[in-house]
Amino acid sequence: MISLRCIGRTVPRQISRAVPSLPRRTLSTVRQTSLLQQSWPQASRPSYVAFSTSRTTREQEGQVDPELSAKLESELRVERDTRDSDTLPSALQNYLDSSPFKLEDKPGQEEVALTRKFGDESIRITFSIADLNNMDQDDADQFGEDPALSDEEAADAAATNVQSGGGNTKGSINQGRTKGGNFAVAPEDSIAPSDRAEGSYEDPNSGEGEQEPSFPARLNVLITKAGKGALQLDVTAQDGEVLIENVYYFKKPELADAKTAELDWSRRNLYTGPPFGNLDEDLQVLLERYLNERGIDTALALWVPEYIDWKEQREYISWLSNVKTFVDA
């Protein structure tokens, strides 16, 4: 037993002595890194200045701002000196005081409304100041004229005061249908009634022959009865006249003023009536009297264009002030 134990202990020692010893690898304190590890810290370093929320220098202001603000202030002074837009003129206020209509006018909005009760009817008249802004363009489109050309022609006519070609013009007398047959009229001369154009009227008490007509104001008249539907009329007020253009009838009053896509689609396929000009003349006259009894008359036709002009002036001054405040902010 002892010999076997000794053999078991001595054999491993002899084997380890027979095997040549390999040189031991020494540990180096120098850390060796790969090429990727060496380039990584350099690539991760930012090559730009870190973002900062602090503003070191103030941004440059617009160079046109002071000039624009001064121009807006100049326009405000001119408009305010021209007319007092804060106070309703006495002529316009007097109509409201004596009229059965109640005014609904919200500052900053184009549309204005007049409302009243007439028996079991509810009457609402709406109009917009946009008609005044679109007046010049509409007139030019209607007559197919260029306003610039009209001004040039007027200047030429005023300079020469003579028309050639035989046609009558203001300030000339027709001397026959021959070329160059007209000559200028001196102030002391007068024109015979037969030489005046047909349909023209000249007030002898006024210093001028023709007065400039007012612009056409479009009115939307809505007359409703409870459970009876609504009558809608497109009306134009100009020079004290109420001109009916169209008359519509709706069984449902909400279709007259369709404010949703569904209502607008529902009214498109409805037969609402023929054009007003296609109606019998007696029927046209009765419809005009129908409106006149409800206060849609000459007084209203004279008041609406004047009020549109006053409101547009007020809104324009407010617009100038708002723009100036924004520019100066």
Side-chain angles (χ1 to χ4, degrees):
M1 293 294 295
I2 297 176
S3 61
L4 292 177
R5 186 182 302 170
C6 293
I7 294 172
R9 290 178 179 178
T10 57
V11 169
R13 294 177 183 177
Q14 294 178 355
I15 294 176
S16 61
R17 292 175 182 176
V19 177
S21 63
L22 298 175
R24 292 186 178 182
R25 186 176 180 183
T26 59
L27 297 176
S28 175
T29 59
V30 180
R31 184 179 179 182
Q32 297 181 359
T33 58
S34 62
L35 179 61
L36 179 60
Q37 292 176 340
Q38 291 179 357
S39 61
W40 175 257
Q42 297 178 359
S44 62
R45 295 176 183 176
S47 59
Y48 51 85
V49 180
F51 174 77
S52 176
T53 57
S54 61
R55 186 172 62 177
T56 57
T57 58
R58 187 175 180 179
E59 297 179 359
Q60 184 179 4
E61 296 181 353
Q63 298 180 358
V64 184
D65 294 17
E67 184 179 356
L68 176 59
S69 178
K71 181 59 178 177
L72 290 170
E73 179 64 28
S74 175
E75 288 292 322
L76 278 170
R77 287 196 302 266
V78 171
E79 295 298 331
R80 286 168 178 167
D81 293 341
T82 302
R83 182 185 305 175
D84 183 11
S85 62
D86 296 331
T87 305
L88 189 65
S90 58
L92 298 178
Q93 186 62 48
N94 291 337
Y95 172 81
L96 293 177
D97 295 339
S98 60
S99 171
F101 288 100
K102 180 181 178 181
L103 177 66
E104 296 180 3
D105 183 2
K106 295 181 180 180
Q109 296 187 1
E110 289 186 337
E111 189 173 271
V112 182
L114 294 171
T115 60
R116 68 162 298 185
K117 286 286 187 178
F118 186 82
D120 60 345
E121 300 175 354
S122 297
I123 302 177
R124 182 179 179 85
I125 305 172
T126 56
F127 54 90
S128 175
I129 63 175
D131 291 343
L132 181 61
N133 298 327
N134 300 331
M135 177 185 62
D136 295 337
Q137 184 61 39
D138 291 343
D139 291 344
D141 294 341
Q142 179 180 359
F143 296 103
E145 297 177 353
D146 187 352
L149 294 178
S150 299
D151 294 340
E152 293 177 359
E153 293 175 357
D156 295 341
T160 59
N161 201 22
V162 175
Q163 176 192 6
S164 62
N168 289 330
T169 58
K170 184 178 180 181
S172 64
I173 296 179
N174 186 8
Q175 296 297 320
R177 298 184 179 181
T178 59
K179 184 176 181 181
N182 296 343
F183 62 90
V185 180
E188 61 272 12
D189 296 333
S190 61
I191 302 176
S194 58
D195 292 328
R196 296 174 184 170
E198 294 183 1
S200 64
Y201 171 77
E202 181 176 354
D203 187 356
N205 298 324
S206 64
E208 298 179 358
E210 296 181 358
Q211 297 181 355
E212 182 180 357
S214 63
F215 67 92
R218 297 176 178 86
L219 309 181
N220 183 279
V221 181
L222 182 62
I223 305 174
T224 59
K225 292 182 179 181
K228 302 293 181 61
L231 201 64
Q232 186 181 35
L233 301 94
D234 293 335
V235 177
T236 299
Q238 185 178 16
D239 297 332
E241 295 184 3
V242 177
L243 307 176
I244 302 177
E245 298 179 358
N246 293 291
V247 181
Y248 310 101
Y249 170 74
F250 299 95
K251 290 184 178 180
K252 297 180 179 179
E254 59 270 17
L255 293 178
D257 188 16
K259 296 182 179 180
T260 63
E262 291 79 9
L263 292 176
D264 182 67
W265 178 260
S266 299
R267 86 175 249 168
R268 288 187 180 183
N269 197 34
L270 295 178
Y271 176 79
T272 54
F276 184 77
N278 294 347
L279 298 176
D280 181 78
E281 293 184 0
D282 293 338
L283 181 56
Q284 296 182 29
V285 172
L286 290 174
L287 285 171
E288 292 173 352
R289 292 174 56 187
Y290 177 85
L291 293 182
N292 188 79
E293 286 183 346
R294 286 154 178 78
I296 307 171
D297 51 12
T298 299
L300 177 68
L302 291 172
W303 182 86
V304 170
E306 293 294 331
Y307 188 84
I308 289 178
D309 182 56
W310 175 82
K311 177 176 172 59
E312 198 279 335
Q313 178 77 5
R314 184 183 63 176
E315 296 297 340
Y316 176 59
I317 291 178
S318 177
W319 178 84
L320 288 173
S321 180
N322 292 334
V323 174
K324 184 180 183 301
T325 301
F326 178 83
V327 173
D328 295 341

